[in-house]
Amino acid sequence: MSDPTEANGTAGSAEAPGPAESDGGTGGRRVRVVLVDDHRMFRTGVQAEIGQTEQTGVEVVGEAADVDQAVTVITATRPEVVLLDVHLPGGGGVEVLRRCAPLMADAEQPVRFLALSVSDAAEDVIGVIRGGARGYVTKTITGADLVDSIFRVQEGDAVFSPRLAGFVLDAFASTDAPPVDEDMDRLTQREREVLRLIARGYAYKEIAKQLFISVKTVESHVSAVLRKLQLSNRHELTRWATARRLV
């Protein structure tokens, strides 16, 4: 695990954002950013793409790989924007938001959060927005768009892709609490991620690449999901997920 304040600049993973295009200047804009993600390769890729301060205006002032590291680094550096993964060891992005609530509420120097995750699940989006994040983008975003999103969040805007924005509007427009799904509650966040990808037809190798885990770990998660849901194979799992509109 890397030092939480380490900022790396080597080439990133395939899932990292594409190169940030620039017109050669940032108009004098600057923003201090902390990267929170439990995959070091991804943090390294983001740092390499957006952390060229003279071109992008983004200064990466710290990194963290889990909830405790994140709270420590964010408190110490007081960045203007935190790029926050949803699924983290120690309680997830929602726990980081809960523990950093006083920093978000600081009228003089608020710390704002932009979720950056592989997940596009409605409950993940809604969970971090309810927790106080100002936006949510997925890891398919380009470097240029990510830089733009960071500056917009710094300025107080809310940033979402159109599909994810629909989740938020639907959730906050409803006055009824969502029904509790006891079966889903048995699954960990990582098991839910694997479940969705399996249901979408991804092979184990593709899931491993998407989530930065080994094929053997994917197999273990699938076995756990099947056991907890009392299903026999991935076809039954796909039907189960489709019935709950998780695909």
Side-chain angles (χ1 to χ4, degrees):
M1 182 177 294
S2 65
D3 185 317
T5 59
E6 178 183 355
N8 300 303
T10 56
S13 68
E15 203 179 276
E21 299 175 1
S22 173
D23 61 3
T26 64
R29 298 190 303 172
R30 289 289 187 272
V31 59
R32 299 170 69 253
V33 172
V34 164
L35 306 178
V36 180
D37 193 290
D38 60 337
H39 298 114
R40 181 172 181 173
M41 288 178 62
F42 183 76
R43 297 199 313 271
T44 301
V46 173
Q47 161 71 11
E49 296 295 343
I50 73 172
Q52 303 171 47
T53 309
E54 291 305 312
Q55 287 73 44
T56 65
V58 176
E59 179 187 1
V60 178
V61 297
E63 298 182 11
D66 60 34
V67 169
D68 288 339
Q69 284 186 2
V71 174
T72 298
V73 172
I74 293 165
T75 302
T77 60
R78 297 297 293 265
E80 291 152 306
V81 176
V82 177
L83 289 180
L84 179 68
D85 194 10
V86 174
H87 302 142
L88 296 167
V94 171
E95 178 64 12
V96 175
L97 292 163
R98 186 187 69 80
R99 291 168 60 179
C100 291
L103 300 180
M104 289 189 282
D106 187 331
E108 296 295 325
Q109 190 182 352
V111 176
R112 295 188 169 104
F113 287 78
L114 173 62
L116 174 63
S117 177
V118 69
S119 172
D120 61 0
E123 65 263 30
D124 288 337
V125 178
I126 294 163
V128 294
I129 298 307
R130 288 191 188 279
R134 295 292 303 174
Y136 195 116
V137 294
T138 63
K139 290 180 178 179
T140 57
I141 193 171
T142 66
D145 286 343
L146 181 57
V147 169
D148 179 65
S149 297
I150 289 169
F151 276 108
R152 288 173 59 193
V153 167
Q154 178 198 24
E155 293 163 1
D157 290 346
V159 179
F160 304 93
S161 69
R163 178 169 179 265
L164 303 187
F167 292 156
V168 177
L169 290 173
D170 289 345
F172 284 90
S174 174
T175 57
D176 299 323
V180 175
D181 189 327
E182 294 181 359
D183 289 333
M184 280 293 289
D185 285 346
R186 295 190 187 102
L187 306 182
T188 67
Q189 290 285 1
R190 182 61 88 191
E191 288 167 352
R192 295 182 191 189
E193 285 183 318
V194 172
L195 164 64
R196 291 188 189 92
L197 293 174
I198 284 287
R200 291 173 184 175
Y202 283 73
Y204 285 3
K205 286 184 179 180
E206 294 172 321
I207 296 172
K209 184 177 180 181
Q210 281 260 29
L211 301 180
F212 294 94
I213 58 180
S214 69
V215 173
K216 183 170 291 187
T217 301
V218 174
E219 293 172 349
S220 297
H221 285 314
V222 171
S223 296
V225 170
L226 292 173
R227 183 182 68 254
K228 290 179 180 180
L229 300 181
Q230 298 182 350
L231 301 175
S232 301
N233 52 56
R234 65 182 296 164
H235 299 295
E236 291 183 2
L237 187 152
T238 299
R239 288 197 297 270
W240 187 93
T242 301
R244 285 161 175 79
R245 299 182 181 179
L246 301 178
V247 181

